[in-house]
Structure formats: structure tokens, C-alpha cells
Amino acid sequence: MSMTAVEQAYRRHWARLLALLTAELRDLDLAEESLQDAFAAAVAAWPPEPDNPPAWLLTTARRRALSRLRREAVAARKLPLLVVDDRPEPAGIPDERLRLIFTCCHPALSMEARVALTLRCAGGLTTREIARSFLVSETTMAARITRAKKKIAQAGIPYRIPAGPELAGRRDGVLAVVYLIFTEGYAPTGGDRLIRADLAAEAIALGRMLRELLPADPEADGLLALMLLHHARRDARLGPSGELVRLPDQDRSRWHREEIGEALSLLEAVRPGGPGDRFPGPYLLQAAIAAEHAVAGRAEDTDWPAIARLYGRLEEIAGSAVVRLNRAVAVAEAEGPEAGLELLDGLDGTMGRHHLFHATRAELLRRLGRDREALDAYGRALEAVGTDPERAFLLSRREDLAACRPPAGPPPSVGVPGRTGPRPRGVTGPPAAR
């Protein structure tokens, strides 16, 4: 069996199978190790076109788990490492993944541990990918994930979806983790791909589950709308050779209008005061910003003053350096590059290692005719950039400037979906320029 086929099966089935095994074995560590063994066995055992790959993997993983227990001679007396209580759960949950997410997002764990464990177990990211997302070594991240799993076992954290006040108290952390999974699919921090549509689609599926679980929660609606609005533009974000295409240059006929329509319907249902009037939380504000881009028939029709105002409200709520960065882009479009550049003052300390900060400065300096400073800012952005398409884009922008051919347009790389966890992006709005 080709490694590519196994990798595809991993991306498609890992999270669901791990959740099912955890529910059966009551041991997250054992479930993960057994499933890893099953995928390793698939490389040698699968025929060219296996029948029902997830069923094969699940059966093999179960057998590997039983073998491990027998070898250790503790099958009869092994205590469950995850506690499953008998309290009824809300109806309508389509599979076990949501229970796994709420377990991984338990407040007994630090936010970094919650995010890392959920990305590993429910998002299907490898330890190496998660380490790159957190800007730490793979060894450090592996140790962090191991400690999180041990804490789940030692604390007897129940494998269930909470209810009542406990559910409300856990909401923000779970919403943040689902959005982080989406962001890793929409704007990965490294590698040769700018979009991982499979991971973004998985986060949207989880967002739909959360909305079913929290049917009267505006922020759950806002999160789903926000992800749909970003994901709707996936086919237009890359050119024929995989190069980054800026938002003003995207072919808007390639945007998925059915997804945009669904998102706008969600927003209409939860914002009775009208656009920008009453938004109770950051996800609805970010979705409102994304909606302004989605409803503009042409780039020049974009209501940048409205977007700048929404970013101002988001900054009041989030107080994030990345929100300020995005707001600077919107203000630059609404009031001019000098006004945008002023908003970047003081962000070096918190965003000095982030390529989006330097790329944004480069574009605004370029539009002000301060070419030497712009070239230096492009150089610093290139030192920090992670993905190959973004690197190629920044190189082309720097080369254009060096050749005295500065194209017009808004900054190219600020405005990615935001991280609410420990990564340097913070809470941010939808793509202002891509």
C-alpha cells in the first residue's frame, strides 16, 4: 500500500477513529498507540484499493489494544484512565469526536495543553505540525502532549459532554480550540501548502456540532459563519502554480456562494440591531468583518470605513496586537497609509518575530514612497515567514520594488484567521488582503 493512501486515510479518519477507540477503551493513551499501530500495519497489509479503510483500521486497532493489555497481564484489573459517567448527554451529537474535544479542553489543563491535545487527537495533526504551530521543538511538544494525557488520567477527567452551567463555562475554550484547528488549515505556519482544505473542513464540521449543542448561542453561530466565509474563498486564494493571490486580485466568481449565503443567514439571525450594531463577542465581530468582504461585488466596492470601525470594536474586546495589525490595514485603506502606519507603532515588541507585521509595514512604507525602509521590512518578513507560497509572494514583492515597479493595492499578507491560544497571532479578523 502506498504511503500516500495511508496518509490520506489518516487525514480523513484519524479523529473519528480515535474518539471511538477512546470511548471503548477508556484510555486515551492506549487508544492513540493502538491506532498508530493500525496505521503502521496498513502500510504493509492494505491491498491497492482496500474495502472500507476505517473499518479495517478500527478492527486492527482493537486487536492491537487487546494484545497490549494481554502482554502486560493487566486486562482483568486495569483501571479506566478516563472516567465515563452515566449522566445523559444532549441529543443530536453525530459522533464521539465532540466528547473527545470537551475532554481535551477540560479547564484542568492549561490553554496550551488543551489546544495541543485537541489538535493532536481531534484535529489529526502530527506532533511535528503542532510544534511548528507553537514555535517550539518537536521534543518539547511531545513532552507537553504526554503530560496533558497523564493529567487527564490522574485527574479522572470524565469523557463526556458537560451540561448546564458547566457547559457554559467550557464554551469559550472549546470555541477557541475549534477555531485554531480551522486556522491551521486555512493559514498554516509552515510547509509548501497555503491551504489545508481537509483540516479546515474538519473544523467546520466540529463547528456545526457545537452549534447543535449550543443552539441559542450567538458566538457558536458567529464562529461557524466566520469559518464558512473564510473557507468560501479557498479556490480563489491560489493561482495555477500554487502562488498566493491577494484578495483584490481574486476571481470572485470562484467563491462558494452557497457557503457565503449560509454564513450571512447565520449572521442575520443573531444581529437584530443591524450590521455592526450589537455584537456580543469576538467571533460575531470577525464574521461581520468577513461578511463585508463577501458582499462586495468588486474589490473597489469594499466598505473599508465599516471594516475599520468593526476592527476598532474588536480591539476593545480583544486587546490583541494582531487585531491592531488588521485594523491598521483597514484604516490604511479608509484613510491612507500614513494613518495605518501610525497604528503599527509599538507593535515591534509583541509581533517583531511575525512575518505579517513586517510585511504590512513594508507595504505601507512602499505606498508612502519610503522604498529603502520598505525593502528592509520585506527582508525581515522573509526571515520570519513559514510557508513556501508566502515566501515566494514576499520575494516577488521585494523584487518588484527593487526594480522600481511598485504595484498598487492593499498589503498582501495580513488578515489571516486568528489564533486565540498561545500562538503569536492572537484574535484577529478575516482576511483584509487575501
Side-chain angles (χ1 to χ4, degrees), residues 185-186 193-204 231 234-235:
Y186 188 91
R193 290 190 294 167
L194 192 62
I195 298 175
R196 289 181 54 184
D198 55 344
L199 191 56
E202 180 71 15
I204 289 173
H231 200 51
R234 58 191 176 277
D235 294 340

Side-chain angles (χ1 to χ4, degrees), residues 348-370:
D348 304 63
T350 53
M351 298 205 68
R353 296 176 61 186
H354 202 293
H355 76 280
L356 295 180
F357 169 70
H358 298 295
T360 302
R361 285 195 73 252
E363 292 296 323
L364 297 182
L365 289 166
R366 173 186 201 144
R367 290 165 63 181
L368 289 169
R370 295 159 62 176

Side-chain angles (χ1 to χ4, degrees), residues 214-419:
L214 305 167
D217 192 310
E219 280 293 86
D221 288 349
L223 174 61
L224 179 57
L226 175 60
M227 294 190 293
L228 286 169
L229 288 165
H230 285 313
H231 200 51
R233 296 197 285 106
R234 58 191 176 277
D235 294 340
R237 289 188 65 224
L238 300 178
S241 302
E243 71 275 14
L244 185 151
V245 179
R246 296 184 309 158
L247 179 56
D249 303 324
Q250 289 176 12
D251 180 358
R252 300 187 179 215
S253 69
R254 300 185 66 197
W255 291 3
H256 292 252
R257 290 295 166 183
E258 69 282 2
E259 295 173 2
I260 292 174
E262 180 184 355
L264 294 178
S265 295
L266 286 169
L267 289 178
E268 192 64 31
V270 296
R271 54 175 184 177
D277 185 14
R278 291 192 298 271
F279 291 97
Y283 294 111
L284 275 172
L285 279 169
Q286 292 178 82
I289 294 169
E292 291 290 346
H293 290 290
V295 300
R298 302 172 302 166
E300 53 267 34
D301 297 331
T302 305
D303 190 346
W304 286 107
I307 292 173
R309 288 193 297 271
L310 288 167
Y311 270 126
R313 296 196 63 181
L314 183 59
E315 188 175 6
E316 292 175 4
I317 294 174
S320 163
V322 180
V323 175
R324 171 65 66 88
L325 180 64
N326 281 273
R327 182 184 167 203
V329 174
V331 168
E333 292 303 307
E335 303 176 19
E338 186 69 49
L341 198 61
E342 289 178 3
L343 288 174
L344 298 182
D345 289 344
L347 293 185
D348 304 63
T350 53
M351 298 205 68
R353 296 176 61 186
H354 202 293
H355 76 280
L356 295 180
F357 169 70
H358 298 295
T360 302
R361 285 195 73 252
E363 292 296 323
L364 297 182
L365 289 166
R366 173 186 201 144
R367 290 165 63 181
L368 289 169
R370 295 159 62 176
D371 292 357
R372 186 180 298 276
E373 294 174 82
L375 288 170
D376 179 66
Y378 278 129
R380 297 185 68 183
L382 285 163
E383 292 174 0
V385 71
T387 66
D388 295 342
E390 288 177 303
R391 179 179 301 279
F393 184 84
L394 288 170
L395 281 169
S396 71
R397 298 290 288 175
R398 187 175 68 172
E399 290 169 1
D400 283 341
L401 181 59
C404 298
R405 296 193 303 271
S413 58
V414 71
V416 299
R419 313 276 177 164

Side-chain angles (χ1 to χ4, degrees), residues 86-121:
D86 296 327
R87 275 184 280 180
E89 294 175 357
I93 305 303
D95 59 40
E96 296 286 342
R97 287 175 294 173
L98 201 54
R99 287 210 290 186
L100 184 59
I101 290 176
F102 270 94
T103 300
C104 293
C105 295
H106 196 278
L109 304 175
S110 69
M111 178 55 81
E112 287 192 356
R114 293 180 221 173
V115 172
L117 195 58
T118 305
L119 288 172
R120 176 75 188 105
C121 297

Side-chain angles (χ1 to χ4, degrees), residues 8-81:
Q8 291 174 348
Y10 179 92
R11 294 298 184 196
R12 290 186 61 190
H13 305 302
W14 167 268
R16 186 182 298 273
L17 293 178
L18 181 60
L20 288 170
L21 284 167
T22 303
E24 294 176 3
L25 300 172
R26 305 185 182 188
D27 184 336
L28 179 56
D29 230 7
L30 178 61
E32 185 175 9
E33 290 173 2
S34 301
L35 188 55
Q36 287 173 338
D37 287 348
F39 275 102
V43 176
W46 273 1
E49 295 184 4
D51 294 331
N52 201 345
W56 189 97
L57 290 164
L58 184 59
T59 299
T60 302
R62 285 168 174 160
R63 291 171 178 167
R64 295 302 174 102
L66 289 174
S67 296
R68 285 175 180 270
L69 292 172
R70 286 169 181 156
R71 283 199 308 268
E72 296 169 6
V74 294
R77 63 179 184 276
K78 186 174 178 64
L79 291 175
L81 299 184

